Amino acid sequence: KQEVTQIPAALSVPEGENLVLNCSFTDSAIYNLQWFRQDPGKGLTSLLLIQSSQREQTSGRLNASLDKSSGRSTLYIAASQPGDSATYLCAVFSNDYKLSFGAGTTVTVRA
Amino acid sequence: SAVISQKPSRDICQRGTSLTIQCQVDSQVTMMFWYRQQPGQSLTLIATANQGSEATYESGFVIDKFPISRPNLTFSTLTVSNMSPEDSSIYLCSVMTGPKNEKLFFGSGTQLSVL
């Protein structure tokens, strides 16, 4: 069974600092990995999708890397802003067509 | 991409009553799912909504408690029946789309509080 872990569970940084969020998974037989943002009491917004054959994806200030062999993905957010405050979740879509979510990292960016 | 409209966005309900949540997608999708997110927890899959047939429920979830309808490829409902305070959660519908059904999109969620 795929286990997805996100560390740290919570993170507080001053505005302008770069954010590094980690996601690890136990089974490297994955189809893709997706990063989401969730605001309190709301649904999930897709940020980046990385296919298993890719090493990284970039969108604006966001960059996500994938090392399938070591079971790790990292989401980098450059020059953080208070509007980046949210919970960030990673989801792993395994080759057996199962989707597994991490518990999320709650980010607070202090003005 | 897919745009998903989910209603209601929030509700406060009395114990023993039922609530039906609607999910409307702006395009036809094969795979539609219902998730629950309990306070402070990650997402748990309730069921896969199958068009024209009964939903496929995950372990721990049953049709009598969470009946699901999927009359066509753009619409689904989830009913939370005979509610108790333990059902207080965010309920989310989602779809997988893309050339290989590889990308997941979510509705805005329904925040349910049961008194």
Side-chain angles (χ1 to χ4, degrees):
Chain A
K1 180 188 172 188
Q2 181 76 270
E3 302 281 346
V4 181
T5 303
Q6 290 188 248
I7 295 174
L11 186 60
S12 179
V13 300
E15 183 177 4
E17 192 165 300
N18 296 333
L19 289 163
V20 180
L21 309 179
N22 297 300
C23 172
S24 62
F25 46 94
T26 54
D27 185 352
S28 62
I30 69 168
Y31 190 63
N32 64 42
L33 184 146
Q34 201 165 348
W35 282 94
F36 294 91
R37 169 187 172 133
Q38 185 176 30
D39 292 294
K42 302 293 186 181
L44 279 66
T45 301
S46 178
L47 297 175
L48 290 167
L49 170 72
I50 311 178
Q51 301 290 358
S52 63
S53 58
Q54 297 176 319
R55 300 283 294 187
E56 67 177 346
Q57 279 286 329
T58 298
S59 175
R61 294 185 294 113
L62 276 59
N63 174 276
S65 67
L66 174 65
D67 184 343
K68 199 172 66 168
S69 61
S70 67
R72 292 181 185 176
S73 177
T74 302
L75 178 67
Y76 301 90
I77 304 177
S80 61
Q81 304 167 359
D84 294 328
S85 297
T87 297
Y88 293 83
L89 294 98
C90 70
V92 176
F93 192 35
S94 301
N95 287 347
D96 59 356
Y97 299 101
K98 295 287 187 184
L99 193 63
S100 304
F101 285 85
T105 295
T106 299
V107 171
T108 302
V109 180
R110 307 186 303 271
Chain B
S1 67
V3 177
I4 304 171
S5 173
Q6 186 174 338
K7 299 178 183 178
S9 59
R10 57 172 50 219
D11 207 341
I12 301 172
C13 300
Q14 296 295 322
R15 181 195 300 260
T17 61
S18 298
L19 175 72
T20 295
I21 302 167
Q22 298 182 1
C23 182
Q24 178 75 52
V25 190
D26 69 341
S27 59
Q28 293 187 339
V29 293
T30 304
M31 304 182 76
M32 186 178 283
F33 310 95
W34 287 97
Y35 285 88
R36 181 176 74 181
Q37 186 179 29
Q38 294 178 302
Q41 306 287 320
S42 190
L43 280 72
T44 301
L45 181 64
I46 297 171
T48 301
N50 301 309
Q51 193 267 328
S53 64
E54 201 168 277
T56 305
Y57 289 85
E58 297 298 305
S59 176
F61 297 97
V62 295
I63 189 171
D64 289 345
K65 176 67 176 176
F66 297 102
I68 289 171
S69 77
R70 178 98 192 264
N72 55 54
L73 292 176
T74 63
F75 186 78
S76 178
T77 66
L78 168 76
T79 298
V80 186
S81 303
N82 188 26
M83 288 183 284
S84 66
E86 292 71 35
D87 294 319
S88 298
S89 293
I90 298 174
Y91 292 85
L92 298 145
C93 74
S94 73
V95 301
M96 289 200 89
T97 185
K100 299 179 183 178
N101 277 333
E102 74 275 21
K103 195 165 185 180
L104 195 64
F105 293 90
F106 282 85
S108 54
T110 296
Q111 188 160 19
L112 171 62
S113 297
V114 184
L115 305 177

